[in-house]
Amino acid sequence: MKKLIGIDLGGTTVKFAILTEEGEIQQKWSMETDVQNKGENIIPDIIHSINHRLNLYRLSADDFLGIGMGSPGAVDIEKGTVSGAFNLGWKTLQPVKEKIEAGTGIPFCIDNDANVAALGERWKGAGDGCANLVFITLGTGVGGGVIVEGHLVHGKGAAGEIGHMIVDHDGYQCTCGNRGCLETVASGTGVVRLARDLSEEFAGESKLKWLIDDGQEVTAKIVFDQAKQDDKLALMAVNKFYFYLGFACGNIGNLLNPDAIVIGGGVSAVGETLLKGIEEYFHAFSYPHVRTSTKIKLAQLGNDAGVIGAASLIKTQKTKRTLAGKAK
Amino acid sequence: MKKLIGIDLGGTTVKFAILTEEGEIQQKWSMETDVQNKGENIIPDIIHSINHRLNLYRLSADDFLGIGMGSPGAVDIEKGTVSGAFNLGWKTLQPVKEKIEAGTGIPFCIDNDANVAALGERWKGAGDGCANLVFITLGTGVGGGVIVEGHLVHGKGAAGEIGHMIVDHDGYQCTCGNRGCLETVASGTGVVRLARDLSEEFAGESKLKWLIDDGQEVTAKIVFDQAKQDDKLALMAVNKFYFYLGFACGNIGNLLNPDAIVIGGGVSAVGETLLKGIEEYFHAFSYPHVRTSTKIKLAQLGNDAGVIGAASLIKTQKTKRTLAGKAK
């Protein structure tokens, strides 16, 4: 039985795992992402880390079916390159596949980080191996991945831009240039924005309003925590957050009727309350058959979704898995 | 070379075609749909018509790879059954595959009519064989079909319910029970509804307002024709119609980034003006990369989309194409 290597490349840490072909994690480790000097050390560091671990565990390249990686930025899955990953310091095109294959001797494949997390949740998490799944990750921004019949949908390259689905015709200005994108209201920063805006016209007892008016730092966690304490302003903000997410989930359901829409990312730590809040509006906005057949679920794998999904790329990605520049 | 039979089953007529494996129509004919007596004659009529034509053209069951059919109602593609096709008089489950295979001796497959038209436009029409296409049909209602990597997306059975995507949080009541569905505003009846509602508060010169106030019958064609004549009320209604369609297309694009979103159905006869109207709002609501890579197109096959797409089911549907009840 050959093994898989999964890598989750992030702006703060790089997570690694060695997995069985069935997706069981056998070893896990991580390292800091060195974003200095335009991130030029990141790839050499990854190669060094893999070779060091293989040596430690007395494994060789032949023991592995491949390496899969999830990366931020714009990923060219055919060429195995990444561009515009600003949180890594990568402004120019990076030939990731070419370098990692040359440095490790192991076939390599890559996809976008949110796509890879979608694959992970489908394979070993909330998706439970279902055929059709949509993954939404709620963090500082909102990302997503769409899986149809077990395969990621890429379209012309930007499929799964769920954070930029429009949920309000006349909503907040988004960094993408449009108005009313889901990301402007359903991210960590989004729920704080909703709270700040609502607080201007809010008249009544509210600790959250007091914090805002006092100029204290208000985070998404504070808004959700205050909502749990029945703070009226916080409840209003969180309710709007659920409304917009439920609206997006409803339209995703009406278009694709997947087995599940899985909610992950840092904000999903809010847990069951968040699930119930989204479901209420999903039910209001989804077509009757969709309402009963598409389930809204919380992600289950936490930080492991990335490495597990990345490893699964080796088995699901349709591009050739020969070493770059080598005929097999 | 074997041939294909495509059938487009509608509430008024049943359209038939004999096609080559490459999708070229060799023969075309049609018959009226007999919706009397709960539509109990429809299947026998279809069987009789096929056998009669095969006899006429001196063809036998062995000359055919299969029969494909597009049907209204809820289609079970695995079992080859249809239920709830009220415009055919079919209230109960109809074993369409079983009966047609028994009556013709030719393997049979079936899908929803809008899905089948999507396949037709992808194969021989505006889609030009592209991998990913979304089809929207604008008629009395709004239907749709989603194609990913050349295959129809069914999800849990209701994928492609584009007419029930929500485009207005607080819009008109829809027959499905929800509010603000695309169908309530972007169908033939929808644009008339928009015109009637806008006319109530409209003050100014407008022939359309005069027609409405005079109690005359107002159709979608009249609204679009008046808009062409620069009637101010008609332009307002048509502009809202484009706004909602562009909003839906934007969100479809942001989720799937297909090669094309193809607009068909009776209302699409409006032509290039309609395309430009939708594009304007699609550009406003789509993510930058989606805006430049997903094309909005008019359907090209007209009435032939159904029979061509139905025939293509024979080559693309993944279910077994053995005769029901027969081992091969």
Side-chain angles (χ1 to χ4, degrees):
Chain A
M1 271 306 261
K2 294 222 175 187
K3 296 173 192 291
L4 313 171
I5 294 176
I7 307 176
D8 180 2
L9 174 56
T12 314
T13 59
V14 187
K15 301 181 192 72
F16 298 82
I18 293 174
L19 304 93
T20 67
E21 273 198 58
E22 282 73 42
E24 300 308 322
I25 293 178
Q26 295 187 313
Q27 303 287 346
K28 237 168 62 165
W29 71 97
S30 70
M31 62 175 209
E32 272 185 60
T33 310
D34 181 1
V35 297
Q36 295 176 85
N37 301 319
K38 299 178 184 168
E40 66 177 20
N41 294 323
I42 294 174
I43 303 291
D45 284 355
I46 287 172
I47 294 168
H48 179 263
S49 183
I50 290 172
N51 288 333
H52 172 71
R53 288 283 163 156
L54 262 52
N55 202 26
L56 198 67
Y57 304 134
R58 300 189 185 191
L59 293 166
S60 73
D62 283 344
D63 292 315
F64 292 91
L65 210 58
I67 300 172
M69 182 193 269
S71 170
V75 177
D76 183 325
I77 64 168
E78 300 290 336
K79 293 182 181 144
T81 58
V82 175
S83 57
F86 300 105
N87 62 339
L88 302 176
W90 289 355
K91 288 175 188 171
T92 58
L93 190 92
Q94 304 286 321
V96 183
K97 176 183 168 77
E98 190 188 319
K99 286 189 178 171
I100 292 185
E101 288 188 346
T104 63
I106 302 173
F108 177 88
C109 48
I110 187 166
D111 207 319
N112 170 274
D113 47 8
N115 280 349
V116 155
L119 285 179
E121 284 292 340
R122 174 189 174 249
W123 194 21
K124 292 286 160 184
D128 207 18
C130 66
N132 301 292
L133 179 148
V134 175
F135 179 70
I136 307 180
T137 171
L138 309 176
T140 314
V142 174
V146 178
I147 295 172
V148 168
E149 297 296 332
H151 290 281
L152 281 169
V153 178
H154 291 96
K156 301 292 283 180
E161 284 292 355
I162 294 171
H164 299 282
M165 288 184 78
I166 310 286
V167 294
D168 191 346
H169 303 149
D170 193 31
Y172 296 107
Q173 182 73 43
C174 181
T175 51
C176 79
N178 290 343
R179 284 191 164 277
C181 293
L182 182 64
E183 182 164 289
T184 64
V185 285
S187 56
T189 47
V191 74
V192 173
R193 173 184 288 137
L194 290 171
R196 285 188 183 281
D197 260 25
L198 287 165
S199 83
E200 289 188 16
E201 298 195 4
F202 181 84
E205 199 67 23
S206 162
K207 184 171 173 199
L208 181 60
K209 184 175 167 60
W210 183 86
L211 291 170
I212 290 170
D213 292 347
D214 197 47
Q216 297 203 26
E217 194 195 6
V218 173
T219 62
K221 190 174 182 312
I222 291 174
V223 178
F224 282 103
D225 282 350
Q226 285 303 315
K228 260 187 204 159
Q229 307 291 322
D230 286 332
D231 180 285
K232 280 184 188 154
L233 174 62
L235 283 172
M236 283 168 68
V238 163
N239 190 52
K240 263 201 146 177
F241 171 94
Y242 293 146
F243 172 90
Y244 289 121
L245 263 172
F247 178 78
C249 289
N251 276 344
I252 291 167
N254 296 337
L255 187 62
L256 297 175
N257 192 199
D259 300 82
I261 300 174
V262 176
I263 313 290
V267 178
S268 73
V270 171
E272 288 297 323
T273 324
L274 175 122
L275 199 62
K276 287 214 178 75
I278 298 172
E279 270 175 348
E280 182 188 337
Y281 290 105
F282 170 71
H283 287 168
F285 291 125
S286 55
Y287 188 65
H289 178 82
V290 172
R291 194 178 303 149
T292 54
S293 56
T294 292
K295 306 295 174 207
I296 310 289
K297 295 183 173 181
L298 286 175
Q300 292 176 355
L301 299 179
N303 278 339
D304 289 344
V307 289
I308 294 174
S312 82
L313 279 179
I314 301 159
K315 302 184 75 172
T316 62
Q317 209 176 71
K318 287 171 186 167
T319 54
K320 283 170 289 174
R321 275 192 305 279
T322 51
L323 288 172
K326 277 197 188 182
K328 253 205 175 170
Chain B
M1 272 302 264
K2 293 223 176 188
K3 296 173 192 292
L4 314 170
I5 294 176
I7 306 176
D8 180 3
L9 174 55
T12 314
T13 60
V14 188
K15 300 181 192 73
F16 299 82
I18 294 174
L19 304 93
T20 65
E21 273 199 57
E22 282 72 42
E24 300 308 322
I25 294 179
Q26 296 188 311
Q27 303 288 344
K28 237 168 64 164
W29 71 96
S30 70
M31 62 176 209
E32 272 184 60
T33 311
D34 181 0
V35 297
Q36 294 177 83
N37 301 319
K38 297 179 185 165
E40 67 179 18
N41 295 323
I42 294 174
I43 302 291
D45 285 354
I46 288 172
I47 293 167
H48 179 263
S49 183
I50 290 173
N51 289 333
H52 172 71
R53 288 284 164 157
L54 263 52
N55 203 25
L56 198 68
Y57 303 134
R58 302 187 183 192
L59 294 166
S60 74
D62 283 344
D63 292 315
F64 293 91
L65 210 59
I67 299 172
M69 184 193 269
S71 171
V75 176
D76 184 323
I77 63 168
E78 299 289 336
K79 292 180 182 145
T81 58
V82 175
S83 59
F86 300 104
N87 61 339
L88 302 176
W90 289 356
K91 289 175 187 169
T92 58
L93 191 92
Q94 304 287 321
V96 184
K97 175 184 168 78
E98 192 187 318
K99 285 190 178 172
I100 291 186
E101 288 188 345
T104 63
I106 303 173
F108 177 88
C109 47
I110 188 166
D111 207 318
N112 170 274
D113 46 8
N115 280 349
V116 155
L119 284 179
E121 285 292 341
R122 174 191 174 248
W123 195 21
K124 291 286 159 182
D128 206 17
C130 66
N132 301 291
L133 179 148
V134 174
F135 179 70
I136 307 180
T137 171
L138 308 177
T140 313
V142 174
V146 178
I147 296 173
V148 167
E149 296 296 331
H151 290 280
L152 282 169
V153 177
H154 291 97
K156 300 294 280 181
E161 285 293 354
I162 293 171
H164 299 282
M165 288 185 77
I166 311 286
V167 294
D168 191 346
H169 303 148
D170 193 30
Y172 296 107
Q173 182 72 43
C174 181
T175 51
C176 79
N178 290 343
R179 284 191 164 276
C181 292
L182 181 64
E183 182 164 290
T184 65
V185 286
S187 56
T189 48
V191 74
V192 174
R193 173 185 288 136
L194 290 171
R196 284 187 184 283
D197 261 25
L198 288 165
S199 83
E200 288 187 17
E201 299 196 3
F202 181 84
E205 200 68 21
S206 162
K207 185 171 173 198
L208 181 59
K209 183 174 168 62
W210 183 86
L211 291 170
I212 290 171
D213 291 347
D214 197 46
Q216 298 202 25
E217 194 196 6
V218 173
T219 62
K221 188 173 182 315
I222 291 173
V223 178
F224 281 103
D225 282 349
Q226 286 303 315
K228 259 185 205 161
Q229 306 291 322
D230 286 332
D231 181 285
K232 280 185 188 154
L233 174 62
L235 283 171
M236 282 167 69
V238 164
N239 189 53
K240 262 199 146 178
F241 171 95
Y242 293 146
F243 172 89
Y244 289 121
L245 264 172
F247 179 77
C249 289
N251 275 345
I252 291 167
N254 295 337
L255 187 61
L256 296 175
N257 191 199
D259 299 82
I261 299 174
V262 177
I263 313 291
V267 179
S268 72
V270 171
E272 288 296 323
T273 325
L274 175 123
L275 200 62
K276 288 215 178 75
I278 298 171
E279 271 175 348
E280 182 187 337
Y281 290 105
F282 170 72
H283 287 169
F285 291 125
S286 55
Y287 187 66
H289 179 82
V290 173
R291 193 178 304 151
T292 54
S293 58
T294 293
K295 305 296 174 205
I296 310 289
K297 294 183 175 183
L298 286 175
Q300 292 177 355
L301 299 179
N303 279 339
D304 290 343
V307 289
I308 294 175
S312 82
L313 279 178
I314 301 159
K315 303 184 74 172
T316 61
Q317 210 175 69
K318 287 172 189 167
T319 55
K320 283 170 288 174
R321 275 191 306 278
T322 51
L323 289 172
K326 279 196 185 180
K328 257 205 173 169

